[in-house]
Amino acid sequence: MYYSEIKNCDVANGPGVRVTLFVSGCTHHCEGCFNEMTWDFHYGRLFDEAAEEQILAYLAPAYIAGLTLLGGEPLEYANWRELLPFIRTVKERYPGKNIWCYTGYRLEEDLLEKFCVQWPDMNEFLSYIDVLVDGEFILERKDISLRFRGSDNQRIILLQESLRKGETVLWTG
């Protein structure tokens, strides 16, 4: 897996001060995408042990609220399979920090009804995600006044609560 950027002290992609990983590779190709270069699965640098250690070190300070995954598309098969052992380590090392994940896929139709059935390990991946921002960016529905999302069709979902209740619970922040 490749990544385009690792940001330390990001305040734009979730609440609080965060570490953000922009993965490479996306098949959605949303019109008006702010990060079009990351559609290429080989854009940027290889996500290797050094990149993992850098993120883990960035997460260490108490003022860091958590990790945000975006891209590209973190839930492309090639990406989430590579991210799974890493986010497992993040949760083990920093259980008090949260993980946000942005995806163009929809929780119910794509992730739960398709991906989790086709790839059972997706269930474990989702078990580490605290907040899921789902839905493709739609240029015609772009709204710059929205917090932590680009278009009004995208939802900010409290994922663990949603999975426990069997219904989608939205973050109201």
Side-chain angles (χ1 to χ4, degrees), residues 9-10 12 23 25 40 43 56 64 67 73 97 110-111 128 131 133 153 155 157 160 163 165:
C9 297
D10 183 4
V23 303
D40 179 351
Y43 177 79
L56 291 169
I64 298 293
L67 173 67
E73 172 57 74
K97 299 191 188 273
D110 298 316
L111 303 183
Y128 300 124
V131 176
V133 182
N153 64 295
R155 303 177 300 169
I157 300 168
Q160 296 314 304
L163 294 173
K165 289 184 172 183

Side-chain angles (χ1 to χ4, degrees), residues 95-116:
K97 299 191 188 273
N98 59 61
I99 298 178
W100 279 48
C101 181
Y102 284 73
T103 181
Y105 294 108
R106 297 281 292 181
L107 174 62
E108 299 85 358
E109 301 87 8
D110 298 316
L111 303 183
L112 298 179
E113 293 178 13
K114 293 179 187 169
F115 291 7
C116 288

Side-chain angles (χ1 to χ4, degrees), residues 52-152:
E52 290 183 17
E53 289 303 320
Q54 180 183 24
I55 293 170
L56 291 169
Y58 284 166
L59 286 167
Y63 64 85
I64 298 293
L67 173 67
T68 298
L69 306 171
L70 65 165
E73 172 57 74
L75 297 185
E76 294 286 0
Y77 182 81
N79 290 340
W80 74 262
R81 295 289 299 162
E82 291 291 321
L83 287 168
L84 177 57
F86 175 66
I87 64 171
R88 184 185 302 130
T89 299
V90 169
K91 279 296 190 180
E92 288 169 359
R93 192 171 298 179
Y94 302 110
K97 299 191 188 273
N98 59 61
I99 298 178
W100 279 48
C101 181
Y102 284 73
T103 181
Y105 294 108
R106 297 281 292 181
L107 174 62
E108 299 85 358
E109 301 87 8
D110 298 316
L111 303 183
L112 298 179
E113 293 178 13
K114 293 179 187 169
F115 291 7
C116 288
V117 173
Q118 188 172 2
W119 305 301
D121 286 353
M122 174 58 82
N123 289 292
E124 181 186 0
F125 184 95
L126 294 179
S127 77
Y128 300 124
I129 304 301
D130 298 289
V131 176
L132 184 77
V133 182
D134 82 341
E136 290 187 6
F137 171 75
I138 299 175
L139 185 58
E140 295 78 25
R141 296 180 70 177
K142 180 179 179 177
D143 183 346
I144 61 170
S145 71
L146 297 171
R147 272 183 92 193
F148 309 129
R149 54 197 175 118
S151 57
D152 66 12

Side-chain angles (χ1 to χ4, degrees), residues 2 6 17 20 26-28 38-39 50 54 83 86 102 110-112 143 157 159 161 163 169:
Y2 284 76
I6 297 169
V17 181
T20 305
C26 182
T27 58
H28 298 296
T38 64
W39 294 355
Q54 180 183 24
L83 287 168
F86 175 66
Y102 284 73
D110 298 316
L111 303 183
L112 298 179
D143 183 346
I157 300 168
L159 186 56
E161 188 175 346
L163 294 173
V169 179

